Amino acid sequence: MQSPAHMRTMLIQLALASAGIAVVASTGCIKADDDCAVAPAEAGDSRVLAPGGPTTATVQTPAAAKDCHATFDVVASFTGDDLYDPDLPQPQLIASANAVGVLGEQPGLVGIFDSWTQEVDPDSGEVLWSATLSAGAKNIDATAVRYGIFVDLAPGETRPVQVDLGITYSLPPAE
């Protein structure tokens, strides 16, 4: 697993490169009979959530073959001077990952991001919190699925929080 600082850098680069639009690249996960022309390899976005401002961030992938494997990553940090304060508590977020069939079949919660790791970047001093989930959706009754991440600023959070969201597709792991 990559460090949260490296993941954040990659997610920020992805968000800047895509200007808020999912990045699409061919990986061979899409089957010939699926309704999309190319297979997405990654989707990501970066947002600042703040009380009195935007409080929700989402990212959703284009349709992928249901036997693809998805890794969901969230990196969170405070902003401004709070970004460098290791004594602040973890940002209060409600975050989940999901997989839904392209026609709405079996909407399903993949998981709740509830196991966060704190890391202080040794070079910049930035304090980052990260969480990862990993799953496939082969049991959904659909030819293809859309994977997504939903993050909401918890009602008790008083500071702005930057969130970097990323979903990476790959072929399923060898059993």
Side-chain angles (χ1 to χ4, degrees):
M1 183 174 142
Q2 298 171 351
S3 74
H6 184 259
M7 174 58 70
R8 180 176 188 160
T9 300
M10 287 179 19
L11 290 172
I12 290 170
Q13 289 171 346
L14 177 63
L16 291 174
S18 64
I21 299 172
V23 172
V24 177
S26 180
T27 64
C29 277
I30 297 300
K31 296 178 181 174
D33 60 348
D34 285 345
D35 292 331
C36 48
V38 295
E42 298 178 319
D45 200 4
S46 180
R47 304 262 179 195
V48 174
L49 307 179
T55 59
T56 301
T58 61
V59 66
Q60 179 177 315
T61 66
K66 68 180 184 174
D67 59 351
C68 285
H69 189 81
T71 301
F72 306 85
D73 294 294
V74 177
V75 177
S77 65
F78 291 112
T79 61
D81 290 340
D82 290 340
L83 174 61
Y84 305 98
D85 188 345
D87 297 325
L88 287 176
Q90 172 183 327
Q92 296 180 42
L93 301 170
I94 302 163
S96 63
N98 60 63
V100 177
V102 291
L103 299 177
E105 301 94 340
Q106 298 177 351
L109 177 67
V110 170
I112 303 289
F113 292 92
D114 60 1
S115 181
W116 296 80
T117 303
Q118 180 189 37
E119 179 180 301
V120 178
D121 185 297
D123 297 324
S124 69
E126 294 178 346
V127 180
L128 307 172
W129 293 88
S130 65
T132 298
L133 292 171
S134 183
K138 65 182 179 182
N139 293 328
I140 286 183
D141 292 333
T143 57
V145 297
R146 286 183 171 80
Y147 292 107
I149 297 175
F150 176 84
V151 178
D152 197 29
L153 192 66
E157 185 56 72
T158 59
R159 295 177 184 84
V161 178
Q162 164 126 8
V163 294
D164 301 292
L165 314 175
I167 303 171
T168 305
Y169 293 57
S170 60
L171 294 172
E175 293 183 16

